Amino acid sequence: MADTDGNIDSHDYYIDTPQTAPTFPLKGCQSLDWGMKNRLANIFDPKTGRTVMLAVDHGYFMGPTTGLERIDVTINPLLPYANTLMCTRGILRSTTPPTFNKGIVLRASGGPSILKEMSNEHIAVDMEDALRLNISAVAVQVFIGGEYETQSVNNMTRLVDAGNRYGVPVLGVTAVGKQMVRDAKYMRLATRICAELGCSYVKTYYVEKDFDTVTAACPVPIVIAGGKKLPELDALTMAHNAIQQGAAGVDMGRNIFQSDAPTAMIQAVSKVVHEDMPPKEAFEYFETLKNA
Ligand code: 5RP
């Protein structure tokens, strides 16, 4: 029998206090179900509504690229500073500590290597296996204008359907073919298609001119890829410009793990993303950490 001694028969129902309805901090995500929002909150810091995703999925088509030869040695020490890790299930199972308790964004498309036509990708992960791995989102490459455009869009919509069944957000990753012009017009087209067809958020590249029109025209959050390695000040400037023009974070790989000081760089990027730190100040912060 339950011990009821000392129970006080008094209740406060806060009759005069309307039940609160907290708003969800991510653009365009208000109508998503609880599970989907909860997963997104593992990716985007609820305090800022922004994210520093550490992208290390390059091996799925590039093999052991510079900086990712030994992910256990070079990447695991960076995990405390990332909001989210973006990787393949192979790396997750073989190398990532299961004690990592932030969001995992799982690379879910693949097929051709750098030796082949890159846009010929298929879905590479079953949603059931993604759920077994307790991931927070799946990522699919979308090749708008590419040779296999329709196939890659079909990969995306199939993952969106599977994700909606289980409450798993899909990140649409816009891949720009070498022959295509990387401008705001293309990015508007590609990101909007991903959002219209159901992605919860979209990754694209930053463009110098009119990037704010890309974020404005996309009804869900945008994160930017880092792209090829730049000098640290330039990479921090790019991240800063993207955030100031409406991006909700970065999904950055090479500009972090190929830096001379990756631990310092990811912390400097985090200051830019979450604290709006100006690039020069963030670069000084990077140098201070690097030389400590
Ligand atoms: C590869 C990817 C990468 O995750 C993405 O490009 C981010 O990495 P980086 O900052 O090195 O460009 O999607 O297809």
Side-chain angles (χ1 to χ4, degrees):
M1 191 168 146
D3 180 4
T4 54
D5 282 359
N7 247 16
I8 303 165
D9 190 17
S10 150
H11 304 281
D12 192 345
Y13 296 100
Y14 299 95
I15 302 292
D16 297 328
T17 308
Q19 181 169 315
T20 52
T23 52
F24 192 65
L26 291 184
K27 173 181 168 178
C29 296
Q30 285 72 19
S31 302
L32 299 178
D33 195 14
W34 194 93
M36 191 86 91
K37 284 179 177 154
N38 183 254
R39 284 193 164 92
L40 285 168
N42 290 334
I43 299 170
F44 292 88
D45 183 332
K47 288 197 286 293
T48 61
R50 295 177 185 165
T51 185
V52 174
M53 295 177 57
L54 177 59
V56 300
D57 59 324
H58 307 57
Y60 93 95
F61 67 103
M62 293 171 89
T65 193
T66 308
L68 297 183
E69 299 90 340
R70 282 288 303 272
I71 288 182
D72 57 326
V73 177
T74 58
I75 299 301
N76 288 354
L78 306 180
L79 295 180
Y81 308 105
N83 293 109
T84 301
L85 180 69
M86 182 194 191
C87 64
T88 59
R89 62 178 160 181
I91 287 302
L92 194 59
R93 283 201 167 99
S94 61
T95 314
T96 307
T99 46
F100 179 69
N101 59 5
K102 300 175 193 168
I104 296 289
V105 176
L106 193 68
R107 160 63 59 185
S109 65
S113 72
I114 36 172
L115 307 177
K116 294 276 192 179
E117 166 51 48
M118 290 297 301
S119 68
N120 188 12
E121 285 198 351
H122 291 273
I123 293 175
V125 170
D126 194 272
M127 192 56 76
E128 189 184 293
D129 200 36
L131 288 167
R132 191 176 293 119
L133 288 165
N134 202 26
I135 51 79
S136 294
V138 293
V140 56
Q141 206 87 357
V142 184
F143 298 85
I144 299 302
E147 190 179 340
Y148 292 88
E149 175 184 77
T150 304
Q151 179 177 305
S152 72
V153 169
N154 187 245
N155 293 339
M156 171 175 69
T157 49
R158 282 168 56 203
L159 281 169
V160 168
D161 282 334
N164 284 348
R165 242 185 331 272
Y166 300 108
V168 176
V170 173
L171 167 62
V173 178
T174 62
V176 191
K178 284 199 179 76
Q179 70 289 2
M180 274 167 220
V181 188
R182 271 191 197 206
D183 61 8
K185 188 176 175 192
Y186 176 82
M187 301 305 174
R188 282 195 300 267
L189 175 74
T191 55
R192 182 66 175 256
I193 288 173
C194 292
E196 296 259 356
L197 292 176
C199 286
S200 297
Y201 71 116
V202 183
K203 174 160 94 166
T204 191
Y205 290 93
Y206 176 72
V207 288
E208 285 297 335
K209 194 165 176 298
D210 297 334
F211 184 72
D212 53 356
T213 66
V214 181
T215 57
C218 183
V220 295
I222 282 188
V223 294
I224 60 152
K228 67 174 194 298
K229 172 77 176 71
L230 302 168
E232 277 77 4
L233 177 57
D234 293 354
L236 292 166
T237 303
M238 176 176 68
H240 176 80
N241 291 345
I243 294 291
Q244 298 312 310
Q245 292 178 60
V250 297
D251 185 19
M252 196 174 264
R254 288 163 287 179
N255 277 294
I256 292 172
F257 61 71
Q258 291 179 352
S259 165
D260 290 344
T263 311
M265 187 57 180
I266 192 169
Q267 289 179 82
V269 171
S270 187
K271 289 276 180 196
V272 168
V273 169
H274 291 297
E275 297 178 29
D276 294 310
M277 188 179 268
K280 281 202 178 119
E281 206 181 309
F283 182 66
E284 281 162 22
Y285 182 69
F286 163 77
E287 290 276 289
T288 306
L289 291 176
K290 180 181 159 182
N291 298 321

Short mmCIF file of all heavy atoms in Angstrom, two decimals, residues 75-110:
data_model
loop_
_atom_site.label_atom_id
_atom_site.label_comp_id
_atom_site.label_asym_id
_atom_site.label_seq_id
_atom_site.Cartn_x
_atom_site.Cartn_y
_atom_site.Cartn_z
N ILE A 75 38.86 13.77 -35.30
CA ILE A 75 37.51 14.33 -35.21
C ILE A 75 36.89 14.16 -33.82
O ILE A 75 36.27 15.10 -33.29
CB ILE A 75 36.59 13.70 -36.28
CG1 ILE A 75 37.13 14.03 -37.69
CG2 ILE A 75 35.15 14.19 -36.12
CD1 ILE A 75 37.27 15.51 -38.02
N ASN A 76 37.10 13.01 -33.19
CA ASN A 76 36.45 12.81 -31.89
C ASN A 76 36.79 13.89 -30.87
O ASN A 76 35.91 14.31 -30.11
CB ASN A 76 36.74 11.39 -31.35
CG ASN A 76 35.98 10.33 -32.14
OD1 ASN A 76 35.17 10.66 -33.01
ND2 ASN A 76 36.24 9.07 -31.85
N PRO A 77 38.03 14.41 -30.86
CA PRO A 77 38.31 15.49 -29.88
C PRO A 77 37.53 16.78 -30.16
O PRO A 77 37.44 17.66 -29.30
CB PRO A 77 39.82 15.73 -30.05
CG PRO A 77 40.35 14.47 -30.65
CD PRO A 77 39.26 13.94 -31.53
N LEU A 78 36.97 16.91 -31.39
CA LEU A 78 36.22 18.14 -31.71
C LEU A 78 34.75 18.05 -31.28
O LEU A 78 34.04 19.06 -31.25
CB LEU A 78 36.25 18.40 -33.22
CG LEU A 78 37.62 18.46 -33.90
CD1 LEU A 78 37.45 18.73 -35.40
CD2 LEU A 78 38.48 19.54 -33.27
N LEU A 79 34.30 16.84 -30.97
CA LEU A 79 32.86 16.64 -30.73
C LEU A 79 32.29 17.52 -29.62
O LEU A 79 31.15 18.00 -29.75
CB LEU A 79 32.57 15.15 -30.43
CG LEU A 79 32.85 14.19 -31.61
CD1 LEU A 79 32.52 12.76 -31.20
CD2 LEU A 79 32.04 14.59 -32.84
N PRO A 80 33.03 17.78 -28.54
CA PRO A 80 32.44 18.62 -27.49
C PRO A 80 32.06 20.03 -27.98
O PRO A 80 31.24 20.70 -27.35
CB PRO A 80 33.54 18.71 -26.43
CG PRO A 80 34.41 17.53 -26.68
CD PRO A 80 34.36 17.27 -28.16
N TYR A 81 32.65 20.47 -29.09
CA TYR A 81 32.41 21.84 -29.54
C TYR A 81 31.37 21.94 -30.66
O TYR A 81 31.04 23.03 -31.11
CB TYR A 81 33.74 22.47 -30.02
CG TYR A 81 34.82 22.32 -28.99
CD1 TYR A 81 35.84 21.40 -29.15
CD2 TYR A 81 34.80 23.08 -27.82
CE1 TYR A 81 36.83 21.24 -28.18
CE2 TYR A 81 35.77 22.93 -26.84
CZ TYR A 81 36.78 22.01 -27.04
OH TYR A 81 37.74 21.85 -26.07
N ALA A 82 30.88 20.79 -31.12
CA ALA A 82 29.89 20.80 -32.21
C ALA A 82 28.49 20.66 -31.63
O ALA A 82 28.31 20.04 -30.58
CB ALA A 82 30.17 19.63 -33.16
N ASN A 83 27.50 21.21 -32.32
CA ASN A 83 26.11 20.94 -31.94
C ASN A 83 25.67 19.58 -32.47
O ASN A 83 24.78 18.94 -31.90
CB ASN A 83 25.16 22.01 -32.50
CG ASN A 83 25.38 23.36 -31.87
OD1 ASN A 83 25.88 24.26 -32.49
ND2 ASN A 83 25.03 23.49 -30.60
N THR A 84 26.28 19.19 -33.58
CA THR A 84 25.83 18.00 -34.30
C THR A 84 26.98 17.43 -35.10
O THR A 84 27.82 18.19 -35.60
CB THR A 84 24.73 18.43 -35.32
OG1 THR A 84 23.67 19.02 -34.60
CG2 THR A 84 24.19 17.26 -36.10
N LEU A 85 26.98 16.12 -35.26
CA LEU A 85 27.96 15.48 -36.15
C LEU A 85 27.21 14.97 -37.37
O LEU A 85 26.18 14.31 -37.25
CB LEU A 85 28.62 14.30 -35.43
CG LEU A 85 29.67 13.54 -36.24
CD1 LEU A 85 30.91 14.41 -36.47
CD2 LEU A 85 30.06 12.24 -35.53
N MET A 86 27.74 15.29 -38.56
CA MET A 86 27.15 14.74 -39.79
C MET A 86 28.12 13.70 -40.34
O MET A 86 29.26 14.01 -40.67
CB MET A 86 26.95 15.85 -40.82
CG MET A 86 26.31 15.34 -42.09
SD MET A 86 26.48 16.55 -43.38
CE MET A 86 25.40 15.88 -44.61
N CYS A 87 27.66 12.46 -40.42
CA CYS A 87 28.57 11.38 -40.83
C CYS A 87 27.79 10.23 -41.45
O CYS A 87 26.57 10.25 -41.51
CB CYS A 87 29.38 10.91 -39.62
SG CYS A 87 28.38 10.16 -38.34
N THR A 88 28.52 9.22 -41.86
CA THR A 88 27.90 8.00 -42.41
C THR A 88 27.68 7.00 -41.28
O THR A 88 28.30 7.09 -40.21
CB THR A 88 28.83 7.35 -43.44
OG1 THR A 88 30.08 7.05 -42.78
CG2 THR A 88 29.09 8.27 -44.62
N ARG A 89 26.84 6.00 -41.57
CA ARG A 89 26.60 5.00 -40.51
C ARG A 89 27.85 4.16 -40.25
O ARG A 89 28.04 3.65 -39.15
CB ARG A 89 25.41 4.13 -40.84
CG ARG A 89 25.50 3.30 -42.09
CD ARG A 89 24.26 2.44 -42.26
NE ARG A 89 24.10 2.00 -43.63
CZ ARG A 89 23.09 1.26 -44.05
NH1 ARG A 89 22.15 0.89 -43.21
NH2 ARG A 89 22.99 0.89 -45.31
N GLY A 90 28.72 4.05 -41.28
CA GLY A 90 29.95 3.28 -41.08
C GLY A 90 30.85 3.94 -40.05
O GLY A 90 31.40 3.28 -39.16
N ILE A 91 31.00 5.24 -40.18
CA ILE A 91 31.85 5.98 -39.22
C ILE A 91 31.18 6.01 -37.85
O ILE A 91 31.82 5.84 -36.81
CB ILE A 91 32.13 7.40 -39.75
CG1 ILE A 91 33.13 7.34 -40.91
CG2 ILE A 91 32.66 8.33 -38.64
CD1 ILE A 91 34.48 6.70 -40.60
N LEU A 92 29.86 6.19 -37.85
CA LEU A 92 29.15 6.26 -36.57
C LEU A 92 29.38 4.97 -35.77
O LEU A 92 29.76 5.01 -34.60
CB LEU A 92 27.66 6.48 -36.85
CG LEU A 92 26.80 6.90 -35.66
CD1 LEU A 92 27.30 8.19 -35.05
CD2 LEU A 92 25.35 7.05 -36.10
N ARG A 93 29.18 3.84 -36.44
CA ARG A 93 29.27 2.56 -35.71
C ARG A 93 30.72 2.20 -35.37
O ARG A 93 31.00 1.63 -34.32
CB ARG A 93 28.68 1.43 -36.55
CG ARG A 93 27.16 1.43 -36.53
CD ARG A 93 26.59 0.07 -36.91
NE ARG A 93 25.17 -0.01 -36.59
CZ ARG A 93 24.18 0.16 -37.48
NH1 ARG A 93 24.45 0.43 -38.74
NH2 ARG A 93 22.93 0.07 -37.10
N SER A 94 31.65 2.56 -36.26
CA SER A 94 33.03 2.08 -36.05
C SER A 94 33.84 3.02 -35.16
O SER A 94 34.78 2.60 -34.50
CB SER A 94 33.75 1.94 -37.40
OG SER A 94 33.81 3.20 -38.05
N THR A 95 33.48 4.29 -35.12
CA THR A 95 34.44 5.26 -34.61
C THR A 95 33.87 6.28 -33.61
O THR A 95 34.61 6.81 -32.80
CB THR A 95 35.04 6.03 -35.82
OG1 THR A 95 35.40 5.10 -36.82
CG2 THR A 95 36.27 6.81 -35.44
N THR A 96 32.56 6.57 -33.71
CA THR A 96 32.00 7.63 -32.86
C THR A 96 31.60 7.06 -31.50
O THR A 96 30.88 6.05 -31.45
CB THR A 96 30.77 8.27 -33.55
OG1 THR A 96 31.16 8.66 -34.86
CG2 THR A 96 30.27 9.48 -32.78
N PRO A 97 32.04 7.70 -30.41
CA PRO A 97 31.67 7.16 -29.10
C PRO A 97 30.15 7.22 -28.89
O PRO A 97 29.55 8.27 -29.11
CB PRO A 97 32.38 8.09 -28.10
CG PRO A 97 33.12 9.09 -28.88
CD PRO A 97 32.86 8.90 -30.34
N PRO A 98 29.54 6.12 -28.46
CA PRO A 98 28.09 6.13 -28.22
C PRO A 98 27.70 7.06 -27.08
O PRO A 98 26.50 7.33 -26.88
CB PRO A 98 27.76 4.67 -27.87
CG PRO A 98 28.96 3.88 -28.20
CD PRO A 98 30.14 4.81 -28.23
N THR A 99 28.67 7.56 -26.34
CA THR A 99 28.37 8.53 -25.28
C THR A 99 28.14 9.93 -25.85
O THR A 99 27.74 10.84 -25.12
CB THR A 99 29.55 8.59 -24.29
OG1 THR A 99 30.76 8.68 -25.05
CG2 THR A 99 29.58 7.37 -23.39
N PHE A 100 28.40 10.12 -27.14
CA PHE A 100 28.11 11.42 -27.78
C PHE A 100 26.58 11.58 -27.78
O PHE A 100 25.87 10.80 -28.39
CB PHE A 100 28.65 11.41 -29.22
CG PHE A 100 28.38 12.69 -29.97
CD1 PHE A 100 29.03 13.87 -29.63
CD2 PHE A 100 27.48 12.72 -31.03
CE1 PHE A 100 28.79 15.06 -30.33
CE2 PHE A 100 27.23 13.90 -31.73
CZ PHE A 100 27.90 15.06 -31.37
N ASN A 101 26.11 12.58 -27.05
CA ASN A 101 24.66 12.66 -26.87
C ASN A 101 24.03 13.90 -27.49
O ASN A 101 22.99 14.36 -27.06
CB ASN A 101 24.29 12.53 -25.38
CG ASN A 101 24.92 13.62 -24.56
OD1 ASN A 101 25.56 14.52 -25.11
ND2 ASN A 101 24.76 13.57 -23.25
N LYS A 102 24.70 14.42 -28.52
CA LYS A 102 24.05 15.49 -29.28
C LYS A 102 23.50 14.89 -30.57
O LYS A 102 23.53 13.68 -30.75
CB LYS A 102 25.06 16.59 -29.57
CG LYS A 102 25.64 17.20 -28.30
CD LYS A 102 26.71 18.19 -28.66
CE LYS A 102 27.52 18.58 -27.46
NZ LYS A 102 28.72 19.33 -27.87
N GLY A 103 23.04 15.75 -31.48
CA GLY A 103 22.41 15.23 -32.68
C GLY A 103 23.39 14.58 -33.65
O GLY A 103 24.54 15.02 -33.78
N ILE A 104 22.91 13.54 -34.30
CA ILE A 104 23.65 12.94 -35.41
C ILE A 104 22.81 13.16 -36.67
O ILE A 104 21.61 12.85 -36.68
CB ILE A 104 23.83 11.41 -35.23
CG1 ILE A 104 24.68 11.09 -34.00
CG2 ILE A 104 24.40 10.77 -36.50
CD1 ILE A 104 26.15 11.41 -34.14
N VAL A 105 23.44 13.70 -37.70
CA VAL A 105 22.78 13.79 -39.00
C VAL A 105 23.45 12.76 -39.89
O VAL A 105 24.65 12.82 -40.15
CB VAL A 105 22.88 15.21 -39.59
CG1 VAL A 105 22.26 15.24 -40.98
CG2 VAL A 105 22.17 16.21 -38.67
N LEU A 106 22.64 11.80 -40.31
CA LEU A 106 23.19 10.64 -41.00
C LEU A 106 23.13 10.81 -42.51
O LEU A 106 22.05 11.06 -43.08
CB LEU A 106 22.37 9.40 -40.60
CG LEU A 106 22.97 8.06 -40.97
CD1 LEU A 106 24.24 7.79 -40.16
CD2 LEU A 106 21.95 6.94 -40.73
N ARG A 107 24.26 10.66 -43.14
CA ARG A 107 24.32 10.67 -44.61
C ARG A 107 23.52 9.47 -45.12
O ARG A 107 23.82 8.33 -44.79
CB ARG A 107 25.79 10.59 -45.02
CG ARG A 107 26.07 10.14 -46.40
CD ARG A 107 25.55 11.04 -47.47
NE ARG A 107 26.07 12.40 -47.38
CZ ARG A 107 25.67 13.40 -48.16
NH1 ARG A 107 24.73 13.21 -49.06
NH2 ARG A 107 26.19 14.60 -48.03
N ALA A 108 22.49 9.74 -45.92
CA ALA A 108 21.56 8.67 -46.32
C ALA A 108 21.49 8.46 -47.82
O ALA A 108 20.63 7.73 -48.29
CB ALA A 108 20.17 8.97 -45.76
N SER A 109 22.36 9.13 -48.57
CA SER A 109 22.40 8.86 -50.02
C SER A 109 23.85 8.59 -50.40
O SER A 109 24.78 8.98 -49.69
CB SER A 109 21.85 10.06 -50.81
OG SER A 109 22.68 11.20 -50.63
N GLY A 110 24.03 7.89 -51.51
CA GLY A 110 25.39 7.59 -51.94
C GLY A 110 25.37 6.70 -53.16
O GLY A 110 24.32 6.43 -53.75
#
